[in-house]
Amino acid sequence: MTQTAIPYIFMRGGTSKGPYFRRSDLPEDLDTLAEVLIAALGSGQSLNIDGIGGGAAVTTKVAMLSVSEDDWADIDYFFAQVSVEEKLVDFKPTCGNILSGVAPAAIEMGLFQPQCDETEVRIRAVNTGARVVAKVNTPGGELTYEGDAEIAGVPGHSAPVQLSFMGVAGSATGAFLPTGNLRDTVQGIELTCMDVAMPMAIARAVDFGLTGYESAEELDANRVFFDRMEAVRIEAGERMGMGDVSKSVTPKFGLVAPARDGGTLAVRYFMPWKTHPTMAVTGAQCMASCALTPGTVADGLLDRPTNSPAEVILEHASGKIDVLVDFSTDDGFTVNAAGLEPDRKVVEGYHRVMIL
């Protein structure tokens, strides 16, 4: 049995939070890295009582940062989704909420120097290869967390982080529509399988006998729905060329319904074995793209904007999120999306990991 102290910054990014590590402070081997992250987060117990996880999928996320070797990027962002109750780590997906904390964390760690009153950091998401430009407030060359930006599902307000996602279509599967179709029918459920920032299988809520306005708690209690959704998701993942996804958090699953509070579309997003309490940044881009694309399962549920850029307001389980979508229909549907997410540093320190 050995113990190793590892420095980290614990930060909230959007509606998620977790430790941000220097990649160089962690093992290179992914199997050993998974053991370390499981120990650090306390994975394998519902409260994560023996680690710094928060007992929910949105609080057992990890960012690992390094100076990028890519000619385009400044910072490499390697993401890990650590399971709450099972001792599992998924290195396949990325996370847009945690990504919103990458630029300030990189500055805090000394991996990037701030530039005057606003600092632009070019980030490469290692897991998917996605390229993202983050802009953060650095008045007088000093990082600040103070600001007036608010986000549904998070109390208070803080400094905004603007994220511009570059070339997001097909970032995980290599195709905007991984099955080649705008709609597929899987086990009697009509789906749009789409890959924009996050590969997703998206269905109409009504096709599952739902309204699409249920709370996260109501959906989590509906195990009949979850069992059916998971069976559909697994088959959809195979059709999307992602192989056996039964132990992977991707593709994510989403439900759509007509908006009822002045937005563009009502949505529910799944992580996938639990309902997201709000909305993921990456998932929001995919669902906004689904809303804008003619022929998808969103047809008939909204008055579709036709001019680019288009503001898509998604009504989620805790409020709303705005996605600005710059798209072209000259040669199919292509998209670049920007999200506004505040972030806040929670704590900085060391954690002693015990490897048994």
Side-chain angles (χ1 to χ4, degrees), residues 15-66:
T15 56
S16 298
K17 66 179 179 179
Y20 289 65
F21 295 102
R22 290 183 182 85
R23 183 68 181 94
S24 58
D25 290 333
L26 296 166
E28 283 294 326
D29 175 70
L30 292 186
D31 289 339
T32 308
L33 175 61
E35 290 184 33
V36 169
L37 297 183
I38 286 168
L41 276 293
S43 178
Q45 194 268 348
S46 61
L47 297 177
N48 304 141
I49 201 69
D50 200 31
I52 56 176
V58 294
T59 61
T60 53
K61 300 187 176 189
V62 177
M64 296 160 279
L65 311 184
S66 57

Side-chain angles (χ1 to χ4, degrees), residues 225-237:
F225 158 67
F226 262 83
D227 289 346
R228 189 178 184 198
M229 177 184 69
E230 179 63 0
V232 172
R233 187 188 75 89
I234 290 172
E235 184 173 336

